[in-house]
C-alpha cells in the first residue's frame, strides 16, 4: 500500500491490488501542490465536504478519469447533475467499491457549503472517512473537524484505524493541541498531520505536533509528509 501526499488535505492511496483512491483533491488551486492535475487517474474520489480546498478539482479529475465520486448525498447529487458518476452516502454508512475496499462515512464537526458556486449550495453535513483496504488495514481521513468525543468512543475504540490523517492547522479545524488529544484517543500506529502551512492562516509547526502526540500516545508515530512525498508499507 502506498500513500501519496499532495498537500493540504489531499492524499492518494494506492492499494496492493492497484486501486487508486484520491481524497479531497485540491490540486490546481493548491499553492503547495506539485502534482499536475492531468496526471491523476484515480478509480474513486472521496470528498469529505463541499469547501473548495477539499472539493477542489473533483469535477475535472472525474471527467478525465471516469472515477466515481463518493461523498455526501448532497454533493453526490451535485456531481451527478454535471453528468458524472457519484455515489451519495451519509454518516455511519459503508460503501463497498469493486469488492476490494470499503468506505465508511463518519462524523466531522464542520460545515459543508459548496462555497465555489456563485450562489453557495448546501453540501449536506461535513464528514470524514474510514477506508478499509483489501488486507484489512484501516485508514481514517478526518476531513476538516474540531475535536469531538466520538473520535474516541466510535472511531478509536470501535473502528481502530491503523493510520489516521488529522487536520492541525487551527482556525478552521483542530489545532495541534486538540489534534494530539485526538491522536491519543484514536491510538493509531501512525498519524499524518494535514491541513496546515498551505496558507498563512493555518501556519503550524508539525514537529511540535509530533512532540504533543508523543506525550498523549507513546505507541503512535507522527509521519510528517511533504507535498509530493510518498509513504509505503506492506
Ligand atoms: Ni472546510
Ligand atoms: Mn479546509
Amino acid at each position: 500500500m502506498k500513500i501519496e501526499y499532495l498537500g493540504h488535505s489531499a492524499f492518494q492511496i494506492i492499494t496492493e491490488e492497484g486501486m487508486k483512491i484520491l481524497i479531497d483533491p485540491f490540486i490546481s488551486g493548491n499553492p503547495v501542490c506539485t502534482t499536475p492535475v492531468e496526471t491523476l487517474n484515480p478509480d474513486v474520489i472521496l470528498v469529505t465536504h463541499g469547501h473548495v480546498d477539499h472539493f477542489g478539482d473533483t469535477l475535472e479529475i472525474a471527467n478525465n478519469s471516469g472515477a466515481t465520486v463518493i461523498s455526501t448525498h448532497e454533493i453526490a447529487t451535485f456531481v451527478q447533475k454535471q453528468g458524472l458518476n457519484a455515489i451519495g452516502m451519509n454518516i455511519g454508512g459503508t460503501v463497498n467499491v469493486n469488492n476490494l475496499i470499503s468506505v465508511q462515512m463518519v462524523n466531522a464537526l464542520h460545515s459543508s457549503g459548496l462555497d465555489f458556486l456563485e450562489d453557495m449550495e448546501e453540501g449536506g453535513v461535513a464528514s470524514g472517512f474510514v477506508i478499509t483496504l483489501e488486507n484489512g488495514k484501516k485508514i481514517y481521513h478526518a476531513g476538516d473537524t474540531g475535536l469531538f468525543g466520538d473520535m474516541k468512543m466510535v472511531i478509536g475504540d470501535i473502528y481502530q484505524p491503523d493510520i489516521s490523517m488529522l487536520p492541525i492547522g487551527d482556525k478552521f479545524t483542530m489545532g495541534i493541541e486538540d489534534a494530539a488529544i485526538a491522536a491519543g484517543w484514536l491510538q493509531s500506529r501512525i498519524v499524518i498531520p494535514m491541513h496546515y502551512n498551505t496558507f498563512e492562516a493555518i501556519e503550524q509547526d508539525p514537529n511540535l505536533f509530533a512532540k504533543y502526540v508523543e506525550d498523549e500516545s507513546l505507541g503512535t508515530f507522527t509521519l510528517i509528509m511533504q507535498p509530493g512525498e510518498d509513504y509505503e508499507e506492506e
Side-chain angles (χ1 to χ4, degrees), residues 8-9 49 51 53-54 110 144 172-173 195:
H8 203 57
S9 297
H49 63 292
H51 294 161
D53 59 317
H54 299 261
H110 196 67
D144 276 358
F172 308 106
T173 69
H195 210 271

